């Protein structure tokens, strides 16, 4: 259940980034839009891209964070924004192999700003929504 909630939080964070940043867009399958309608097809597109984003963050991000730990320490953690922007760019590239595509116009402005927006929205929603894990005493 926690994975599903985390995917929904990622989808909402991606939706906020797409809404705020003009250089970022998520497009869905035209066939799905014709069969379901544009609203449900957009929800499916955001959920699929959020699933890809979650998998990239779970599998690739720890390795990149480990390799970039020295420069992250030197920059007092600010390089983690660049690592998050790299994960968004990797998600955009991987989503090109699916019917649901995340488009990022430029790395520096769009991906870095999207990383900041997604981090803020994910943190706020993570505090508001339950994550399925209970605290142990």
């Amino acid at each position: 259940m926690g994975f599903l909630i985390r995917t929904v939080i990622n989808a909402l964070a991606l939706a906020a980034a797409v809404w705020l940043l003009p250089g970022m867009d998520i497009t869905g399958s035209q066939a799905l839009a014709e069969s379901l309608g544009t609203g449900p097809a957009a929800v499916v597109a955001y959920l699929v891209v959020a699933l890809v984003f979650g998998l990239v963050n779970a599998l690739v991000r720890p390795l990149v964070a480990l390799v970039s730990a020295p420069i992250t320490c030197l920059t007092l953690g600010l390089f983690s924004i660049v690592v998050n922007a790299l994960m968004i760019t990797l998600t955009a590239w991987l989503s090109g192999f699916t019917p649901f595509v995340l488009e990022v116009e430029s790395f520096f402005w769009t991906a870095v700003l999207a990383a900041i927006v997604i981090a803020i929205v994910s943190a706020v929603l993570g505090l508001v929504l339950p994550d399925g894990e209970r605290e142990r005493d």
Side-chain angles (χ1 to χ4, degrees):
M1 189 64 157
F3 180 73
L4 180 63
I5 291 172
R6 200 69 226 159
T7 303
V8 170
I9 288 174
N10 279 339
L12 292 173
L14 283 167
V18 167
W19 183 65
L20 287 172
L21 301 171
M24 193 170 174
D25 192 26
I26 294 179
T27 57
S29 169
Q30 186 65 26
L32 187 64
E34 290 174 0
S35 65
L36 290 178
T38 57
V43 170
V44 170
Y46 279 97
L47 286 174
V48 169
V49 172
L51 181 66
V52 172
F53 185 59
L55 290 173
V56 165
N57 277 334
L59 300 174
V60 178
R61 189 172 190 278
L63 297 172
V64 174
L66 180 67
V67 170
S68 66
I71 194 166
T72 302
C73 289
L74 279 173
T75 61
L76 301 175
L78 289 177
F79 193 73
S80 63
I81 295 171
V82 175
V83 171
N84 290 340
L86 285 170
M87 296 305 107
I88 292 169
T89 306
L90 181 61
T91 301
W93 179 72
L94 287 174
S95 70
F97 298 107
T98 68
F100 310 101
V101 178
L102 170 65
E103 297 172 2
V104 178
E105 187 176 295
S106 68
F107 175 78
F108 186 73
W109 292 111
T110 306
V112 170
L113 291 176
I116 294 169
V117 169
I118 289 171
I120 292 171
V121 172
S122 292
V124 170
L125 289 177
L127 291 174
V128 173
L129 296 176
D131 61 354
E133 298 176 6
R134 298 184 186 253
E135 293 182 16
R136 294 186 178 177
D137 292 316

